[in-house]
Amino acid sequence: VTVSTVLNVPASGTVTASLHPFTVKLGLLRSSVVVCNTLLDAYCKHGLLAAGMRVFQEMPHRDSVTYNAMMMGCSKEGLHREALGLFTDMRRAGLDASQFTFSSMLTVATGMGDLHLGRQVHGLVARATSVHNVFVKNSLLDFYSKCDCLAEMEKLFDEMPERDNVSYNVMISGYAWNRCASRALRLFREMQILCFDRQALPYASLLSVAGSLPHIGIGKQIHAQLVLLGLSSEDLAGNALIDMYSKCGMLDAAKTNFLNKNDKTGVSWTAMITGYVQNGQLEEALRLFCDMRRAGLSPDRATFSSIIKASSSLAMIGLGRQLHSYTIRSGHISSVFSGSALLDMYAKCGCLDEALQTFDEMPERNSISWNAVISAYAHYGQAKNAIKVFEGMLHYGFKPDSVTFLSVLSACSHNGLAEECMKYFELMEDEYGISPWKGHYACVIDTLGRVGRFDKVQKMLSVMPFEDDPIIWSSILHSCRIHGNQDLARVAAEKLFSMGSTDATPYVILSNIYAKAGKWEDAARVKKIMRNRGLRKESGYSWVEVKQKIYSFSSNDQTNPMISEMKEELERLYKEMDKQGYKPDTSCALHQVDDDLKLESLKYHSERLAIAFALINTPLGRPIRVMKNLSACLDCHAAIKMMSKIVNRDIIVRDSSRFHHFKDGVCSCGDYW
């Protein structure tokens, strides 16, 4: 009794480990299952799962408490399959399940995204007469809310004979996660009417609702209530305020709340880092991450997910690999969140093989992991592989969501697979009851337009339950450029002009369509309208990472100190390309200038300068990864194909729409983009 009491006192894992030899010396591990369970539970609570497992394996006798402690430890650390195996062993041993057993199994089902398993546990709960309490019902509510099963969550909540503060908090959190703002606010008002303790109300969840909408008015009202109650500096509420202001684009307010926190936890730092990432201030996010490390705080899996996202957006593969190593050293590599973030990072940095290897090595996967690998294939224009992974996701029992279908439709769009695109669009609605977003319609319309099915494009526009969207009309305009459809191009351009966009792209495309058709007066008229409205074509620039430093280039850039060497390198390549039959496509050059100027303007497009710089400054044989803010032109695409063959290197170019992997004179996009 004395040993069990001491082990139950909250202490560090080191204290627990120091008491372990004492229990062995007294012979308690052989004679007392209570002491064994307490020691095992103490190890698991301090994250020392391996030590807990050794105690578990050495125990001569086990009871339901033993299995519950071990299952809770495994589920807490994300080792879901291990926890599921323990549950199976417990059932075979004929031991009764308790409320803690079911709670652990529901945590496992949530972590695995396994709706079938969760429903099976629900069935066991219904048959187990001894566990019909609010604790287990709250665990079921949490499971259904995190699996996006709102109808089942609401049905269970309505049928609960007893509800507590946790029940309402779980419901409001579920609504917040699914952006059901009105339902969340209705329940919040109900909690106030029922006179729950105001300090126990789910302010953090409501701040999440305000951030996800985003609705700064609601956020400020909740902030005011927190100030009146003296809760604004509390850790949970303070972190939620940072998150809400960040999502509403008010980074200064987020930073003020962050700086005003007296006790900044790892969650506080992570919320601020994530805010910078969400608002595109990636360098600030990296600086804050370094400050966090200097402050002696250890990043958790959420921190790694955010900072890895920053490195992927900057396409800094060197930094990404450093973070991968750091994730391994810190013990977070087994986390499904860290693994998914690494997968996404490698994919966005042009390392598809490493992205797929990360996916294969993940001990646990969830729908985010599957979505990430489908999206990776989509961006590389590998629609068949994306569809294959989608089928694998279904095979393993994972439920596709809106993001999954968006990735599949995007893959079909990149490859012009119109039939497949329509098939999965209809499957999403008919089989899974998912209402399409604008993005889904945009993918279908883009695919149909790319293959010239403008009749079906018009039909999709007529049934789309959304107002005119610039992304959709831009994709139609691009399709008109491909097929030379001047009439629809004019309609699409006029739609875009009327939306008051400051983007000059539609003017440029329409002008080029007219120029290609020899309608110089119409082309000049569109250019004049563009100038009168003060719009300028966005300048193309490319960047490349060399020795963990980013180098940027604009077209015909003369500012780089190595410009002479870069031009010499390109001239050497052009001579080899001429021998192999390369003919510049002057339709991609400036119009209404002489041929010599057209050829000269093509030679030094930004991606070519970036490639030349990388060829000079990186070892032979190393792949070159270039990022570009605009879509690659036809001539650059043809030129880079030949360059990859001449220099015998893989050249990966990520433009504004997709990746192009050039190897041995061939591009992964199949010359379709």
Side-chain angles (χ1 to χ4, degrees):
V1 172
T2 308
V3 172
S4 295
T5 302
V6 174
L7 284 169
N8 271 316
V9 174
S12 67
T14 306
V15 174
T16 302
S18 67
L19 288 170
H20 190 163
F22 184 69
T23 59
V24 174
K25 184 178 179 180
L26 292 177
L28 294 173
L29 289 187
R30 287 287 172 186
S31 61
S32 174
V33 70
V34 174
V35 172
C36 290
N37 288 342
T38 310
L39 181 64
L40 189 159
D41 183 60
Y43 274 131
C44 290
K45 283 178 178 175
H46 293 299
L48 302 170
L49 204 60
M53 183 59 77
R54 283 197 298 274
V55 174
F56 178 83
Q57 291 170 344
E58 293 169 2
M59 288 175 65
H61 305 290
R62 301 169 186 155
D63 59 14
S64 59
V65 177
T66 315
Y67 280 96
N68 285 337
M70 202 66 237
M71 280 188 288
M72 289 177 75
C74 288
S75 61
K76 180 182 175 184
E77 295 298 318
L79 301 175
H80 303 307
R81 298 201 181 278
E82 289 80 351
L84 190 57
L86 287 165
F87 177 67
T88 304
D89 292 343
M90 179 183 177
R91 300 283 291 171
R92 286 175 182 159
L95 297 170
D96 291 333
S98 69
Q99 60 184 20
F100 302 107
T101 315
F102 293 128
S103 178
S104 295
M105 283 301 96
L106 288 167
T107 301
V108 168
T110 303
M112 295 174 68
D114 193 333
L115 188 58
H116 179 65
L117 173 61
R119 285 173 173 155
Q120 284 185 314
V121 175
H122 192 168
L124 292 173
V125 170
R127 292 196 293 272
T129 56
S130 61
V131 291
H132 281 262
N133 57 37
V134 71
F135 174 78
V136 176
K137 293 295 178 67
N138 287 342
S139 295
L140 281 165
L141 281 178
D142 185 61
F143 161 73
Y144 284 125
S145 74
K146 288 177 179 173
C147 287
D148 299 335
C149 298
L150 293 189
E152 287 167 282
M153 179 184 77
E154 289 172 335
K155 184 175 184 294
L156 178 63
F157 182 76
D158 291 340
E159 293 173 351
M160 286 174 66
E162 179 189 357
R163 301 169 186 162
D164 61 9
N165 179 56
V166 176
S167 312
Y168 278 90
N169 273 273
V170 170
M171 288 292 293
I172 291 172
S173 295
Y175 285 139
W177 177 257
N178 287 278
R179 301 185 179 184
C180 300
S182 60
R183 298 186 207 179
L185 292 169
R186 176 177 55 79
L187 277 187
F188 178 71
R189 284 192 287 270
E190 188 175 314
M191 287 186 77
Q192 292 177 309
I193 292 168
L194 293 172
C195 297
F196 278 97
D197 181 0
R198 288 188 71 192
Q199 298 210 359
L201 296 181
Y203 294 108
S205 295
L206 287 173
L207 287 168
S208 178
V209 169
S212 63
L213 286 175
H215 195 301
I216 191 60
I218 294 174
K220 286 184 174 180
Q221 287 182 47
I222 301 300
H223 191 176
Q225 289 197 39
L226 288 168
V227 171
L228 288 172
L229 292 169
L231 298 174
S232 59
S233 60
E234 292 286 328
D235 190 49
L236 183 62
N239 296 335
L241 283 168
I242 295 168
D243 178 67
M244 182 275 294
Y245 281 118
S246 296
K247 287 178 178 173
C248 290
M250 298 182 65
L251 271 181
D252 288 341
K255 190 174 180 180
T256 299
N257 279 275
F258 174 73
L259 294 174
N260 287 342
K261 282 178 66 66
N262 295 324
D263 184 21
K264 297 182 183 70
T265 63
V267 178
S268 312
W269 286 88
T270 299
M272 196 65 240
I273 290 169
T274 304
Y276 280 127
V277 173
Q278 289 168 342
N279 286 274
Q281 296 194 21
L282 307 175
E283 292 84 357
E284 284 295 326
L286 293 172
R287 273 194 285 272
L288 197 62
F289 176 72
C290 294
D291 291 343
M292 178 183 180
R293 297 293 299 125
R294 281 193 287 270
L297 288 161
S298 298
D300 61 12
R301 63 188 188 185
T303 320
F304 280 116
S305 295
S306 289
I307 206 66
I308 290 169
K309 185 181 289 186
S311 69
S312 65
S313 298
L314 288 168
M316 295 182 70
I317 186 60
L319 173 62
R321 286 180 175 137
Q322 283 186 358
L323 290 168
H324 191 168
S325 299
Y326 192 69
T327 308
I328 294 171
R329 292 198 305 274
S330 61
H332 290 290
I333 193 61
S334 60
S335 162
V336 69
F337 300 98
S338 299
S340 299
L342 285 167
L343 193 168
D344 183 63
M345 180 275 295
Y346 281 123
K348 287 180 177 175
C349 288
C351 304
L352 183 60
D353 290 343
E354 287 172 270
L356 299 177
Q357 183 180 343
T358 302
F359 180 74
D360 291 338
E361 293 175 353
M362 289 177 68
E364 293 289 339
R365 298 168 184 163
N366 60 11
S367 58
I368 296 172
S369 320
W370 288 93
N371 288 347
V373 77
I374 293 170
S375 179
Y377 275 129
H379 280 100
Y380 279 83
Q382 298 187 24
K384 290 183 179 178
N385 284 330
I387 291 170
K388 186 177 178 181
V389 173
F390 173 76
E391 298 295 340
M393 179 182 182
L394 299 182
H395 174 75
Y396 284 104
F398 287 90
K399 180 183 175 182
D401 57 17
S402 299
V403 178
T404 315
F405 280 104
L406 188 61
S407 295
V408 173
L409 295 176
S410 176
C412 294
S413 173
H414 281 325
N415 285 91
L417 304 178
E419 288 185 15
E420 288 84 349
C421 196
M422 289 301 301
K423 169 189 169 183
Y424 288 108
F425 183 80
E426 291 167 1
L427 181 73
M428 175 178 68
E429 289 192 278
D430 299 341
E431 185 73 19
Y432 293 95
I434 298 173
S435 298
W437 298 344
K438 279 187 183 180
H440 299 110
Y441 279 101
C443 285
V444 175
I445 289 170
D446 183 61
T447 311
L448 294 171
R450 282 174 176 270
V451 296
R453 295 303 308 271
F454 292 109
D455 55 334
K456 289 193 174 182
V457 166
Q458 297 280 11
K459 185 177 179 181
M460 288 296 292
L461 287 170
S462 67
V463 300
M464 185 177 70
F466 300 107
E467 295 180 0
D468 289 342
D469 183 79
I471 294 175
I472 290 175
W473 282 107
S474 291
S475 74
I476 293 172
L477 186 57
H478 280 281
S479 297
C480 293
R481 175 183 59 82
I482 294 170
H483 295 280
N485 189 330
Q486 296 177 40
D487 294 335
L488 186 56
R490 186 167 53 253
V491 173
E494 290 296 337
K495 285 279 187 182
L496 291 165
F497 299 164
S498 66
M499 292 177 192
S501 172
T502 57
D503 183 10
T505 303
Y507 296 88
V508 175
I509 292 175
L510 184 60
S511 174
N512 288 345
I513 290 172
Y514 285 138
K516 191 173 182 180
K519 296 184 176 181
W520 299 108
E521 289 184 4
D522 288 333
R525 177 177 53 81
V526 173
K527 285 283 185 72
K528 184 180 179 182
I529 295 171
M530 185 178 81
R531 287 194 300 272
N532 290 342
R533 294 183 180 180
L535 302 177
R536 295 183 63 185
K537 180 183 177 183
E538 183 181 0
S539 299
Y541 65 91
S542 300
W543 65 99
V544 64
E545 181 185 359
V546 175
K547 296 177 182 177
Q548 297 183 25
K549 186 176 179 182
I550 299 293
Y551 295 88
S552 298
F553 305 90
S554 58
S555 292
N556 202 24
D557 196 338
Q558 300 295 321
T559 60
N560 192 286
M562 294 186 66
I563 188 63
S564 297
E565 294 95 318
M566 291 153 58
K567 286 188 173 182
E568 286 178 13
E569 181 69 14
L570 286 173
E571 289 300 330
R572 182 185 68 80
L573 287 171
Y574 292 146
K575 287 178 183 178
E576 290 295 323
M577 289 160 62
D578 286 340
K579 293 177 184 177
Q580 297 186 26
Y582 165 68
K583 299 293 182 186
D585 184 350
T586 54
S587 68
C588 303
L590 298 168
H591 295 294
Q592 294 180 312
V593 297
D594 62 46
D595 290 342
D596 289 340
L597 282 176
K598 285 183 178 181
L599 292 173
E600 190 67 19
S601 70
L602 286 174
K603 279 185 175 182
Y604 306 119
H605 277 190
S606 63
E607 57 265 57
R608 304 193 197 194
L609 292 175
I611 290 169
F613 183 83
L615 286 170
I616 296 168
N617 291 284
T618 57
L620 292 173
R622 178 173 293 180
I624 295 171
R625 294 179 173 84
V626 175
M627 309 296 152
K628 181 177 171 64
N629 68 323
L630 303 177
S631 182
C633 73
L634 290 169
D635 188 64
C636 281
H637 193 271
I640 298 171
K641 282 200 298 183
M642 299 195 78
M643 288 178 185
S644 69
K645 186 176 181 180
I646 292 167
V647 300
N648 194 26
R649 290 214 213 182
D650 287 12
I651 302 176
I652 300 101
V653 177
R654 187 181 85 184
D655 67 11
S656 59
S657 60
R658 67 159 68 192
F659 278 96
H660 301 267
H661 189 159
F662 300 93
K663 184 176 182 179
D664 297 327
V666 177
C667 181
S668 60
C669 75
D671 299 338
Y672 184 93
W673 79 99

